[in-house]
Amino acid sequence: KNEVEQSPQNLTAQEGEFITINCSYSVGISALHWLQQHPGGGIVSLFMLSSGKKKHGRLIATINIQEKHSSLHITASHPRDSAVYICAAPPSGSARQLTFGSGTQLTVLP
Amino acid sequence: GAGVSQSPSNKVTEKGKDVELRCDPISGHTALYWYRQRLGQGLEFLIYFQGNSAPDKSGLPSDRFSAERTGESVSTLTIQRTQQEDSAVYLCASSLVSRTGANYGYTFGSGTRLTVV
């Protein structure tokens, strides 16, 4: 069992829809990362959060430490949001390498 | 620099040749990570540097892979006698790790796409 699990694996939405991607983890963590990977491979770090909620533009990330669950929301989705979204976490008490979820392939249709 | 810089962005090499990939982290970031992503697969950890501590090499897949970092500056990942299965995107990331172990500003480079033919 992967220590970091994401769902869904694939998601297709119509432009304008509200999107939610979920991430559950089984390890104790100090913080959780949400990453975006566009075709061509470049990775952008969207959020790092250890509690509560963060917002950047149309992106919102929330985390519930007790339930070991995080969600990434995209409001008013747009075709340019099409990418792979990956959640990742370092083991608790460690700044070491991230454990990655398998990613969610999001496709937003015009 | 403003971001994590990797070079080259693309590299095509013949099987059996050695390659060097470079990562220039964000200035002041104490931690540097190398990851690999093969086509259609997830990210794999390769190696982690933190300050002047001994690196965590537990993710290196074979002794053909090695990496160096001097202090908190540039790192090079070297693959000797490349094989076709080494073809992948090699990603570098850096972050600032506090004395309490908190991790700040985790930033990825844009990667080096390595193709072994």
Side-chain angles (χ1 to χ4, degrees), chain A residues 81-93:
Chain A
D81 297 326
S82 298
V84 176
Y85 292 85
I86 304 167
C87 67
S92 179

Side-chain angles (χ1 to χ4, degrees), chain A residues 30-31 33 35 37 39-45 48 86 90 93-98 100-102, chain B residues 31 33 35 37 43-45 48 56 58 89 91 97 101-110 113:
Chain A
S30 54
H33 299 255
L35 311 170
Q37 185 173 33
I43 287 186
V44 173
S45 182
M48 183 177 74
I86 304 167
S94 168
R96 292 186 175 273
Q97 68 275 15
L98 299 178
F100 295 92
S102 55
Chain B
Y33 311 78
Y35 296 93
Q37 187 176 36
L43 286 148
E44 301 173 71
F45 165 74
Y48 159 67
D56 178 350
S58 60
V89 174
L91 285 154
V97 177
N103 207 324
Y104 298 96
Y106 207 107
T107 305
F108 280 87
S110 54
R113 184 175 297 278

Side-chain angles (χ1 to χ4, degrees), chain B:
Chain B
V4 177
S5 177
Q6 289 189 246
S7 61
S9 54
N10 281 284
K11 175 75 177 177
V12 179
T13 190
E14 291 181 353
K15 180 180 170 182
K17 300 270 187 173
D18 297 352
V19 294
E20 262 192 15
L21 312 180
R22 177 187 168 107
C23 173
D24 198 345
I26 290 175
S27 178
H29 276 193
T30 55
L32 187 147
Y33 311 78
W34 282 99
Y35 296 93
R36 174 173 76 174
Q37 187 176 36
R38 289 167 160 161
L39 186 64
Q41 298 188 21
L43 286 148
E44 301 173 71
F45 165 74
L46 296 177
I47 189 168
Y48 159 67
F49 295 91
Q50 166 59 13
N52 293 316
S53 303
D56 178 350
K57 302 180 182 180
S58 60
L60 294 178
S62 78
D63 59 8
R64 295 186 295 104
F65 287 72
S66 62
E68 290 185 350
R69 186 187 188 198
T70 305
E72 295 179 358
S73 63
V74 170
S75 175
T76 54
L77 176 69
T78 301
I79 309 173
Q80 295 178 308
R81 305 181 303 280
T82 52
Q83 304 294 313
Q84 286 185 327
E85 64 261 27
D86 299 334
S87 296
V89 174
Y90 289 82
L91 285 154
C92 175
S94 73
S95 70
L96 176 62
V97 177
S98 73
R99 291 184 180 184
T100 60
N103 207 324
Y104 298 96
Y106 207 107
T107 305
F108 280 87
S110 54
T112 294
R113 184 175 297 278
L114 175 66
T115 305
V116 182
V117 297

Side-chain angles (χ1 to χ4, degrees), chain A residues 4-98:
Chain A
V4 178
E5 294 202 339
Q6 282 184 244
S7 63
Q9 272 193 312
N10 290 282
L11 180 57
T12 300
Q14 290 295 135
E15 183 173 356
E17 284 187 9
F18 180 83
I19 287 161
T20 296
I21 299 170
N22 295 301
C23 178
S24 296
Y25 51 92
S26 58
V27 294
I29 63 168
S30 54
L32 185 129
H33 299 255
W34 280 102
L35 311 170
Q36 180 192 55
Q37 185 173 33
H38 278 283
I43 287 186
V44 173
S45 182
L46 298 174
F47 297 103
M48 183 177 74
L49 67 165
S50 54
S51 65
K53 174 178 163 178
K54 285 191 176 180
K55 185 175 189 293
H56 185 255
R58 295 181 294 105
L59 301 177
I60 303 166
T62 63
I63 190 167
N64 185 319
I65 296 292
Q66 288 74 28
E67 294 185 4
K68 296 189 175 180
H69 181 269
S70 177
S71 293
L72 177 69
H73 306 285
I74 305 175
T75 62
S77 59
H78 190 276
R80 64 175 174 267
D81 297 326
S82 298
V84 176
Y85 292 85
I86 304 167
C87 67
S92 179
S94 168
R96 292 186 175 273
Q97 68 275 15
L98 299 178

